[in-house]
Amino acid sequence: MKITADTNVLVRVAVGDDPRQAKRAAAALKKAEAVVVPIPVLCERVWVLHRGYDLSRAEVATAIRKLTGAATVVVDRPAVDAGLALWEAGGDFADGAIEYAGRAHGAETFTTFDRKAARLLTTQARPVTLLR
């Protein structure tokens, strides 16, 4: 069976803070023929691991790479890479993934009030319009 994994399932497996749920989550993931992980789930996972569990940026990036590198996991790889590129530059994973998704759908520029996101995306040669 192919499944879509919710953030809470992936977090339980990653942190094991509830052994009973972690065991059930791991079994469901292992049993699945394919595990679809939508970008919003990865955005939530980054936030929860970093803010909720105080993992460092490097630890979060490693956790995302480990998950998305699994043979049965299906993700939008370019969006993940864009999110990780911005995350590892000190920005938000979600902003990188959102900017990529916009370009993939034909957007010509990422428009934002977020100065930090604009600066980081500009250094990655991404077209940005900063609203002031």
Side-chain angles (χ1 to χ4, degrees), residues 5-20:
D6 192 9
T7 306
N8 54 28
V9 171
L10 299 176
V11 169
R12 288 292 82 71
V13 171
V15 300
D17 58 349
D18 181 321
R20 188 173 138 265

Side-chain angles (χ1 to χ4, degrees), residues 4-131:
T4 300
D6 192 9
T7 306
N8 54 28
V9 171
L10 299 176
V11 169
R12 288 292 82 71
V13 171
V15 300
D17 58 349
D18 181 321
R20 188 173 138 265
Q21 285 187 354
K23 184 177 180 180
R24 290 171 57 200
L29 296 175
K30 186 175 182 176
K31 184 173 128 181
E33 170 188 335
V35 179
V36 177
V37 182
I39 292 299
V41 168
L42 290 177
C43 292
E44 288 181 343
R45 187 171 192 246
V46 166
W47 192 92
V48 168
L49 293 178
H50 188 59
R51 299 288 178 137
Y53 291 91
D54 204 29
L55 269 64
S56 70
R57 284 182 172 273
E59 290 170 320
V60 170
T62 297
I64 295 299
R65 283 193 174 91
K66 182 178 177 184
L67 171 67
T68 61
T72 58
V73 171
V74 178
V75 295
D76 182 344
R77 172 61 53 198
V80 171
D81 293 343
L84 283 171
L86 200 62
W87 175 254
E88 293 179 319
D92 291 332
F93 178 91
D95 287 336
I98 291 165
E99 185 278 332
Y100 170 79
R103 277 188 295 118
H105 289 284
E108 296 174 15
T109 186
F110 179 76
T111 303
T112 186
F113 287 106
D114 186 335
R115 286 187 167 95
K116 183 177 181 181
R119 178 178 45 80
L120 293 171
L121 287 165
T122 298
T123 65
Q124 294 180 2
R126 306 287 188 216
V128 176
T129 301
L130 179 62
L131 300 177

